[in-house]
Amino acid sequence: MTTGLFVAGTDTGVGKTLVATALLRGLAQDGVRAAAMKPVAAGIGPGQAIHPDVEALMAAAGVGEELADANPYAFAPAIAPHVAAARAGVAIDVGRIAAAYARLAARADVVVVEGAGGVLVPLGDRADMLDIPAALGLPVLLVVGVRLGCINHALLSALAIQARGLRLAGWVANRIDPGMAEAEASVEALDRRLPAPRWADLRWRTGGDPRPVIGGARRLLEGSGNGRSG
């Protein structure tokens, strides 16, 4: 089995945390000890000690990660990571993220790493979000928020992932717009055009348990390979 997976998104607000936690729950069902990581998080509200996404990830993982490893960089303003870091006088160091990842990997079978925003969100003057899976040697799972424009966003994201020499292990359709016209046609178009299989299709939920589980998570990870393509 691969030692980790990077969960990326076509944009902000497409459900990366929903998918990452669903994957973590699926791994738990399969008897896999998985740790969670969100290297960079921005948007910690007043009175909050931890970013809500990080809290959800750690609760789904349940292996007792240290917060400093699960979330090496946390910023209060809900703005782009490189802007939040600049305001705080901090330089986001991918080497520090890699060291935290290594500590998590030492205590778990798998580490699920969630990105922030889209795949090319800057981390600083020269680095962006895809530099994280590149440094960690991880395959990428792309979360596609199924809404108007998702085909273009998904295909451009896949091109960016491949251009870095990273492996696109799969993608997840997340139905974030229940009123979208021809949503099924868009998902079918992505099935034909994306160079990786669809791992899950998360439907819009109006009630009941809002915490989905991605079934067969162990099998999916076993087939995802390492982080480099070719």
Side-chain angles (χ1 to χ4, degrees):
M1 184 185 302
T2 182
T3 57
L5 184 73
F6 187 82
V7 180
T10 53
D11 200 351
T12 190
V14 297
K16 292 184 297 297
T17 303
L18 182 76
V19 170
T21 54
L23 184 61
L24 287 162
R25 294 186 193 101
L27 289 168
Q29 284 189 353
D30 291 342
V32 178
R33 295 184 69 253
M37 183 182 197
K38 188 175 179 77
V40 182
I44 299 177
Q48 291 181 329
I50 181 174
H51 192 283
D53 290 354
V54 178
E55 186 173 25
L57 289 166
M58 293 179 70
V63 298
E65 306 98 325
E66 295 291 336
L67 177 57
D69 290 337
N71 181 210
Y73 292 98
F75 305 104
I79 55 179
H82 71 294
V83 178
R87 285 190 181 181
V90 173
I92 296 175
D93 179 8
V94 176
R96 176 179 165 185
I97 292 170
Y101 174 85
R103 289 190 290 270
L104 292 172
R107 63 191 305 167
D109 302 316
V110 173
V111 184
V112 176
V113 183
E114 181 193 333
V119 298
L120 294 181
V121 165
L123 298 176
D125 290 340
R126 298 184 178 181
D128 61 42
M129 198 57 59
L130 288 182
D131 285 310
I132 295 177
L136 303 181
L138 297 181
V140 178
L141 177 66
L142 182 65
V143 180
V144 180
V146 181
R147 60 188 177 199
L148 188 62
C150 66
I151 296 175
N152 183 64
H153 293 164
L155 297 179
L156 286 173
S157 297
L159 284 174
I161 291 165
Q162 291 180 310
R164 295 294 180 86
L166 297 170
R167 182 178 299 281
L168 180 62
W171 69 284
V172 171
N174 186 26
R175 311 280 184 134
I176 60 177
D177 180 2
M180 180 186 176
E182 299 294 342
E184 205 63 44
S186 292
V187 172
E188 290 173 0
L190 289 172
D191 275 333
R192 292 192 300 270
R193 289 169 171 82
L194 283 173
R198 173 158 43 107
W199 282 20
D201 189 338
L202 303 183
R203 303 281 171 160
W204 179 262
R205 296 180 176 220
T206 57
D209 188 354
R211 301 173 300 173
V213 175
I214 293 180
R218 183 187 184 107
R219 174 183 54 80
L220 290 167
L221 275 171
E222 286 173 341
S224 65
N226 60 30
R228 293 290 171 181
S229 63

